[in-house]
Amino acid sequence: MVARFFRSRGARKFMANRLAVAAFLVIAGYLLVAGLVWFTGIITLEETLGRIGASYQPGLWGAQRSGKRIEDATFWFEVAQNAADRGDFETARGGVAFYERRLTGELDADEIKARVARGIALAKEVLVVEGFDESASVLPKVDEIDAIVVELFPHPEGWDAFMYGARHVLGTDRQGRSISFRAIYSIKVAVQVGVVTALFAVLFGSFVGAAAAFFGGWIDHAVIWLYSTFSSIPYLVLLSVLVYMFNDTSVDKTLIPLYVAFGLTFWVGPCRVIRGETLKIKELEYIQAATAIGFSRTYILIKHVIPNTAHLMFINASLLFIGAIKGEVILSFLGLGVKSGPSWGIMISQSKAEVVSGFFWQIGTATVLMFVLVLAFNILSDALQDAFDPKHV
Amino acid sequence: MSDPATAPALLEVRDLVKHFPVRGGILNRVVSRVHAVNGVTFDVRKGEILGVVGESGCGKSTLGKTVIRLLEPTDGQIRYEGKPLHELGHRDMMPFRRKMQIIFQDPYSSLNPRLTVRKMLREGIRFHGSVPEAEIDDYIVELIRQVGLRKDAADRFPHEFSGGQRQRIGIARALALKPEFIVADEPVSALDVSIQAQILNLLLDLKENLDLTILFISHDLKVIEHFCDRVLVMYLGHIVEELSCDALHEEAVHPYTKALLGANPINDPDDRRELEVLEGDVPSPFDPPPGCPFAGRCPLVEDRCRQEMPPLVDRKTAGHRVACWAVEE
């Protein structure tokens, strides 16, 4: 079955299109990441909400200017100071709050306090220098501050070092959360919304559309009325209303309001397309031949009509998948979509203020990930149409 | 085999009418009707090939599809071996569905592009149980051989075949259920002339071997003349003449039949004759005028023709009927 699919004309045509194969691999990568997050829990929801360092830290490849380095150091000094003040080193050492970066166990309370005091003093000296952020003269002092931070919070090693790197590679947001982990977790959220919506909308819409066109009569009138009604309402407005309706109910913090909203609106597209195709197919002679054999109408619909609309279902599914992801991002941006956990929409919404002050890590990460996915899907759906539409030779 | 001229009627059609409603306006009311078949009466005798000829839009395909109930008749009776088909429901039609099959005009749209030949044939055989389950595969191979295709055709998809080969598959599908009566709806008009001859010969062979009765629809009188035993000439939903193919040129009396015969090219460039070209157009099938539909183009038209439709009456020769006021007995 699978082997035969790969030998089929459509599959061969698809494989010959390099851009399409690249797009397919990109999408497979996204789906793999989503699957890993979903099934293995390599990134948990808590990890995307926990603080990993100072606010607005740039990614590891960003310019490491003195100002940012001192901000970061000050954050760690405060953590150490608090621990010393409370005499509670275990929490900080156990890495509960900051994952791989833990307070050293080799120094006692007094030694920690002494190093924190020295570090803070150095930081104050640097901060009073006019234009310290651009000045090279303060660099020795900044280096010393960093050395103290490393002495207090030694760099992790092995797997920990890798995870630490991954966590910090794209910097932190306003609450000091890992942008990279939030963005990756958002892949899972987006794929989840996309897959559920596309599957439901295409299966339901196609079947309803095909049945309407094939049986005609009052069924057709009812379906046309229904989808005309749905498509005459601006879809974002309808989505907002639906999502508002779920406010303060037990499913408010889940993705269910989104599924309901998308499910109610997105089936219209495939329904309309498949209905049109069915109107065409049902007049073809092989349908009459099936009638002449004596098959029931329902059998002909399922066995002879719907399989011949499969290429449109594929294309519609890939279009709806990105449609749903874009919808999720827009709704989340407006604060109506994902309410617990990260989403590209929430990330972009948060970065409104950051962009003004020149911090592009968060909005850049979210938009690039979304852009690549949407682009790959558009290329893929074009290629699918070229390869599997029976009319294309 | 019995002589077709005296054989009993397999299919009797009486006053068959098929109208297609045309809906329009805001309330989707029926605004007019296309009178595709307008009260036709004829018999198909067991073992014969009955031709139906007429120009595009004269209702010949509609007639073919209505007699096997692919389309529901508006009025009239269809009897198969005496059983009234027009009264049967879906379930009661089943045995007759197996006995009556159809071959279509367009070999490109008549095969489901997603099914292999084997699946296409097996589907119907299984449904009717016309062959025991264990023998189906052998039977399919035999069928494919019978219609002149190679054995490996069974596992191919329709797009892998040429037009003529597709038409053979369409014939195989019609034969798969072991039918008695086949409607051939312009089976060769979409094919090249050389392929046409092959398909016609195949149909003739199959008819002899399988004892079939065929209703052969065509717009090509030349093909009908060579292929059929008798012919019905249709004009705008009416049968205007029915006669034997053996004496087509000698006996044809209806002016429309004569015009059709005259339009056939002669394969001798020196034999030039004056061609009688029909003037005017076929009247609109939407609510046609009373009287003979051919009146507007007829060289023999009389006043009566425009008011009253002539009945189809027997002529001297057995099996020759004509509907024309101007043709005197």
Side-chain angles (χ1 to χ4, degrees):
Chain A
M1 175 72 194
V2 175
R4 200 158 93 206
F5 172 77
F6 279 106
R7 269 188 285 120
S8 75
R9 193 172 54 142
R12 284 204 308 273
K13 256 182 99 176
F14 183 79
M15 297 304 272
N17 185 346
R18 280 197 202 153
L19 193 62
V21 174
F24 182 75
L25 291 178
V26 167
I27 292 160
Y30 272 87
L31 293 179
L32 185 73
V33 170
L36 281 176
V37 172
W38 177 261
F39 292 111
T40 68
I42 50 165
I43 297 175
T44 61
L45 182 58
E46 288 70 37
E47 277 178 282
T48 67
L49 301 174
R51 206 177 171 121
I52 62 160
S55 306
Y56 295 140
Q57 285 300 300
L60 284 190
W61 301 302
Q64 293 293 316
R65 307 178 86 166
S66 302
K68 283 290 174 195
R69 287 165 71 182
I70 289 171
E71 268 179 39
D72 189 39
T74 310
F75 171 77
W76 294 110
F77 290 150
E78 280 170 15
V79 173
Q81 186 70 55
N82 282 342
D85 286 349
R86 290 203 306 274
D88 171 22
F89 294 109
E90 286 313 310
T91 311
R93 278 178 189 149
V96 176
F98 309 111
Y99 306 98
E100 294 81 14
R101 198 93 193 248
R102 290 162 198 163
L103 189 61
T104 178
E106 287 163 13
L107 300 172
D108 63 27
D110 288 338
E111 284 170 318
I112 288 170
K113 281 180 185 166
R115 279 169 177 73
V116 170
R118 166 78 183 140
I120 289 174
L122 277 169
K124 275 182 183 155
E125 283 173 36
V126 173
L127 289 175
V128 293
V129 176
E130 188 87 16
F132 72 94
D133 210 10
E134 279 83 29
S135 162
S137 63
V138 299
L139 278 181
K141 284 180 181 164
V142 178
D143 285 343
E144 197 184 337
I145 293 172
D146 276 354
I148 293 171
V149 172
V150 173
E151 209 179 339
L152 289 168
F153 294 88
H155 281 307
E157 283 165 14
W159 176 250
D160 277 355
F162 173 76
M163 285 302 279
Y164 178 80
R167 232 181 266 282
H168 287 260
V169 72
L170 294 173
T172 60
D173 67 1
R174 188 178 58 198
Q175 281 118 34
R177 301 177 297 197
S178 165
I179 289 174
S180 55
F181 273 31
R182 286 173 70 75
I184 291 171
Y185 193 87
S186 302
I187 293 178
K188 181 216 132 184
V189 175
V191 168
Q192 201 179 340
V193 171
V195 166
V196 171
T197 307
L199 270 184
F200 170 79
V202 167
L203 291 180
F204 178 76
S206 301
F207 189 78
V208 167
F214 192 66
F215 294 119
W218 66 268
I219 302 180
D220 198 23
H221 287 296
V223 169
I224 292 174
W225 181 84
L226 205 61
Y227 77 55
S228 306
T229 308
F230 271 105
S231 55
S232 65
I233 305 169
Y235 107 105
L236 268 179
V237 174
L238 181 63
L239 291 186
S240 325
V241 170
L242 284 166
V243 172
Y244 268 121
M245 271 167 48
F246 282 102
N247 255 348
D248 299 323
T249 60
S250 57
V251 294
D252 188 24
K253 297 281 181 204
T254 66
L255 291 175
I256 289 171
L258 271 185
Y259 293 153
V260 173
F262 289 148
L264 274 178
T265 49
F266 276 36
W267 65 275
V268 171
C271 179
R272 197 195 299 254
V273 172
I274 302 288
R275 180 179 168 272
E277 185 72 6
T278 305
L279 282 178
K280 195 185 84 191
I281 290 175
K282 79 168 184 174
E283 299 299 333
L284 291 180
E285 289 179 340
Y286 63 81
I287 301 300
Q288 293 181 22
T291 312
I293 289 173
F295 296 129
S296 71
R297 302 291 287 162
T298 318
Y299 177 88
I300 294 172
L301 173 65
I302 291 169
K303 193 77 188 199
H304 291 266
V305 175
I306 290 183
N308 279 297
T309 62
H311 62 287
L312 290 175
M313 290 194 207
F314 272 124
I315 295 154
N316 263 286
S318 66
L319 289 175
L320 288 190
F321 181 85
I322 33 177
I325 288 176
K326 285 193 278 188
E328 180 264 303
V329 169
I330 292 168
L331 285 180
S332 300
F333 178 84
L334 298 174
L336 295 168
V338 179
K339 293 190 177 169
S340 60
S343 143
W344 292 327
I346 292 177
M347 292 176 71
I348 294 171
S349 163
Q350 280 183 351
S351 32
K352 277 182 291 191
E354 300 162 6
V355 172
V356 182
S357 57
F359 185 79
F360 292 102
W361 287 92
Q362 175 147 259
I363 194 169
T365 308
T367 45
V368 165
L369 278 179
M370 191 172 80
F371 171 75
V372 171
L373 179 62
V374 171
L375 181 67
F377 247 101
N378 277 327
I379 293 172
L380 181 80
S381 59
D382 269 3
L384 280 178
Q385 177 140 25
D386 283 348
F388 289 104
D389 189 337
K391 285 193 294 295
H392 283 68
V393 181
Chain B
M1 205 176 66
S2 57
D3 177 18
T6 56
L10 181 71
L11 186 80
E12 299 159 79
V13 177
R14 295 288 173 270
D15 305 319
L16 188 71
V17 177
K18 178 65 188 173
H19 291 173
F20 292 103
V22 178
R23 290 174 188 280
I26 206 161
L27 293 172
N28 217 15
R29 286 224 178 91
V30 176
V31 290
S32 71
R33 290 164 178 279
V34 176
H35 295 228
V37 176
N38 235 340
V40 306
T41 297
F42 63 96
D43 290 346
V44 183
R45 296 181 200 138
K46 203 163 171 50
E48 76 169 343
I49 304 180
L50 176 60
V52 180
V53 72
E55 59 198 276
S56 302
C58 74
K60 55 192 191 299
S61 284
T62 306
L63 175 67
K65 286 174 183 171
T66 311
V67 296
I68 62 167
R69 282 208 40 205
L70 273 184
L71 298 170
E72 290 302 316
T74 309
D75 197 10
Q77 291 149 22
I78 309 160
R79 290 175 199 280
Y80 188 91
E81 292 176 327
K83 312 254 176 11
L85 292 191
H86 53 280
E87 291 171 0
L88 299 182
H90 178 76
R91 193 175 298 270
D92 296 327
M93 260 310 278
M94 278 306 145
F96 297 98
R97 290 283 185 215
R98 191 190 68 71
K99 288 177 182 174
M100 307 189 301
Q101 282 296 304
I102 180 166
I103 300 166
F104 291 100
Q105 171 177 11
D106 178 5
Y108 290 90
S109 72
S110 63
L111 304 178
N112 185 340
R114 301 232 167 231
L115 295 182
T116 61
V117 174
R118 184 188 301 280
K119 280 186 186 160
M120 204 181 295
L121 298 176
R122 184 157 54 196
E123 194 181 41
I125 299 170
R126 272 222 181 116
F127 182 71
H128 282 284
S130 45
V131 174
E133 185 74 26
E135 295 165 25
I136 288 182
D137 278 333
D138 291 341
Y139 179 66
I140 287 174
V141 171
E142 171 59 20
L143 254 179
I144 289 170
R145 196 196 54 75
Q146 232 172 13
V147 297
L149 290 172
R150 285 177 25 189
K151 215 171 97 180
D152 61 352
D155 293 307
R156 293 174 183 274
F157 285 92
H159 64 76
E160 299 175 61
F161 296 97
S162 69
Q165 288 171 320
R166 281 165 161 255
Q167 199 56 290
R168 287 171 191 270
I169 297 168
I171 293 171
R173 178 179 57 198
L175 294 178
L177 304 179
K178 301 182 174 170
E180 299 166 349
F181 174 60
I182 286 188
V183 173
D185 185 6
E186 307 217 30
V188 295
S189 53
L191 305 175
D192 288 344
V193 179
S194 58
I195 313 288
Q196 285 190 5
Q198 291 176 15
I199 297 289
L200 290 175
N201 287 333
L202 171 69
L203 280 174
L204 271 182
D205 290 345
L206 291 168
K207 182 212 165 250
E208 293 303 324
N209 296 337
L210 303 172
D211 208 5
L212 297 171
T213 305
I214 299 179
L215 182 69
F216 187 89
I217 296 163
S218 177
H219 59 258
D220 188 344
L221 200 55
K222 204 90 179 164
V223 170
I224 297 256
E225 193 181 340
H226 288 287
F227 188 71
C228 300
D229 299 313
R230 291 190 304 132
V231 60
L232 304 175
V233 182
M234 281 189 77
Y235 190 82
L236 204 75
H238 295 273
I239 294 177
V240 293
E241 187 161 17
E242 173 188 336
L243 73 168
S244 161
C245 281
D246 296 333
L248 197 55
H249 287 275
E250 297 77 44
E251 290 188 3
V253 288
H254 195 283
Y256 181 63
T257 316
K258 282 183 168 171
L260 280 184
L261 285 167
N264 267 341
I266 310 158
N267 53 4
D268 179 2
D270 296 325
D271 183 5
R272 291 180 181 275
R273 336 176 260 196
E274 202 60 32
L275 198 60
E276 276 186 45
V277 181
L278 288 180
E279 301 284 328
D281 283 315
V282 187
S284 160
F286 295 92
D287 305 313
C292 178
F294 191 57
R297 308 169 75 185
C298 185
L300 312 175
V301 64
E302 303 164 0
D303 280 347
R304 193 179 181 189
C305 298
R306 301 190 205 280
Q307 280 126 36
E308 209 178 331
M309 177 68 206
L312 197 60
V313 293
D314 285 317
R315 303 263 302 167
K316 270 182 296 205
T317 328
H320 187 187
R321 296 189 296 161
V322 67
C324 185
W325 294 124
V327 177
E328 290 299 317
E329 187 63 42

